[in-house]
Amino acid sequence: MANIIEITDFTAPELDIYARLSETQLFHLYEPGQGLFIAESPNVILRALDAGYEPVSLLTERRHIESSARPIIARCPDIPVYTAELEVLTQLTGFQLTRGLLCAMHRPVLPTIEKVCTGARRIVVLENVMNPTNVGAIFRSAAALNMDAVVLTPGCSDPLYRRASRVSMGTVFQIPWTQAPLSPGLLKSMGFRTVAMALKEDSLDIKDPRLAAEEKLAIFLGTEGDGLSDQTITLCDYTVRIPMSHGVDSLNVAAASAIAFWQLGGINAPQ
C-alpha cells in the first residue's frame, strides 16, 4: 500500500533533500559512501528504476498520484510519497516541477573505464563539458546514434544532475558511463583509435570514409568555447572537423556531437 504523506510542515527534515540541499550537497551526503540525486519527470524516473537505481522517496503534485505517478508509486510501495498542490511544491523546491514529479535516488558506485568500454565499438569522451544541458543532450544523441558508452573527465557536469538527466530523457540510465581522469593513451591500449573533434586547418573532413570504417573509435569532445586541450588533440590519432558555411566557425558542443555520432557511429561504414 502506498505511503502517501501530505506536506504540512515545510521545515520537516525529510524534505531537506528536495528543499534545502543543493545537488552538490546531495552528491556528498553520505561520504565516504555514495550520495543521492534527484530524478525529475515520470519517464526519467521510470528509466532509472528500469536500470536498477534505488529510490528513497517521491515528491509529487497531488493530482498526479492517480495518473502519471501511479505506475512509479506501484513499483515503489515501501517509500514515502510526499504530496501537495503544485503551488506548494513550487514554493518548497524553488522551481516548477516538470510534470509534477521528483524522485530522490541513491547514487551507484561508478564502474571502471575498462568495464564501461568492454565490448564497445564506439565511445564518447567528454573533456570538461560543464553545462548540464549540453551533457544531457549529448547523452541523448549518444544513445540514439549508435554510441556504446560515455566517459567524462572530472571537470564535466554530473550526468545525474537533475537538469542533465531530464534533458537526456533518462538516457543517462540506459547507456553505460563513468567519470574518471583519462588520456587518449589508455583508450589506445584498449584497441580504440582516437578522434579529436577540433577546428584545425589540417583536420580530416568528418566524411572521410576511413573514420567510419574503423573497428573501434573513441570520439573526444571538448568544453564549451575553448574545445579540447592542445595536449588531447596532439595525443589523438585523428583530428576531425565538421565543415561550416556562411562564416560560422563552430557549433554548440551538443549539436556537434549529434553530427559526429551520426557520421562516425559505424552506421555508414562500408560493409
Side-chain angles (χ1 to χ4, degrees):
M1 183 175 178
N3 182 17
I4 308 296
I5 301 171
E6 184 76 21
I7 296 172
T8 57
D9 180 6
F10 274 26
T11 66
E14 58 268 27
L15 297 177
D16 285 350
I17 55 179
Y18 298 108
R20 287 170 286 278
L21 296 181
S22 69
E23 291 188 294
T24 300
Q25 289 172 316
L26 290 173
F27 185 103
H28 297 288
L29 190 59
Y30 299 130
E31 286 184 335
Q34 306 302 307
L36 301 178
F37 70 95
I38 303 294
E40 182 180 11
S41 85
N43 286 341
V44 171
I45 295 168
L46 285 170
R47 285 181 172 173
L49 293 173
D50 289 343
Y53 284 73
E54 182 183 353
V56 173
S57 64
L58 285 165
L59 181 72
T60 184
E61 189 180 347
R62 185 183 292 113
R63 67 188 180 95
H64 291 312
I65 290 175
E66 293 299 328
S67 56
S68 58
R70 186 172 183 176
I72 297 169
I73 294 171
R75 290 180 61 172
C76 311
D78 300 323
I79 67 171
V81 180
Y82 302 106
T83 188
E85 297 298 339
L86 179 61
E87 295 76 12
V88 175
L89 298 185
T90 300
Q91 185 179 350
L92 174 71
T93 62
F95 59 87
Q96 187 164 329
L97 282 63
T98 300
R99 296 191 63 188
L101 186 60
L102 298 177
C103 183
M105 293 185 156
H106 288 288
R107 285 180 167 274
V109 176
L110 291 180
T112 64
I113 294 173
E114 289 81 2
K115 184 173 182 179
V116 163
C117 295
T118 297
R121 294 183 60 253
R122 295 292 187 270
I123 68 169
V124 184
V125 182
L126 303 185
E127 182 180 77
N128 300 332
V129 178
M130 295 173 281
N131 185 310
T133 299
N134 283 336
V135 168
I138 291 169
F139 264 86
R140 187 174 181 181
S141 293
L145 298 173
N146 217 30
M147 298 294 109
D148 300 311
V150 180
V151 177
L152 305 95
T153 64
C156 288
S157 180
D158 183 354
L160 296 183
Y161 279 173
R162 181 177 59 86
R163 182 182 295 273
S165 63
R166 176 166 55 82
V167 171
S168 82
M169 294 296 291
T171 55
V172 296
F173 307 115
Q174 295 179 304
I175 186 168
W177 66 273
T178 195
Q179 195 160 18
L182 182 68
S183 73
L186 174 60
L187 293 174
K188 289 181 183 182
S189 72
M190 298 167 64
F192 287 92
R193 298 279 278 175
T194 50
V195 171
M197 298 300 300
L199 298 169
K200 299 289 184 181
E201 291 301 323
D202 57 349
S203 300
L204 286 179
D205 189 295
I206 196 170
K207 292 180 287 186
D208 190 304
R210 291 173 293 178
L211 297 170
E214 288 282 5
E215 182 179 354
K216 297 174 73 173
L217 275 184
I219 302 166
F220 283 69
L221 294 158
T223 184
E224 300 88 346
D226 293 335
L228 291 168
S229 67
D230 290 338
Q231 180 182 19
T232 297
I233 294 171
T234 299
L235 292 173
C236 282
D237 296 306
Y238 300 108
T239 303
V240 174
R241 67 195 303 267
I242 299 170
M244 304 283 168
S245 63
H246 294 96
V248 177
D249 61 358
S250 65
L251 294 173
N252 167 273
V253 65
S257 75
I259 295 171
F261 302 160
W262 167 253
Q263 187 63 41
L264 304 178
I267 298 172
N268 304 309
Q271 302 297 315

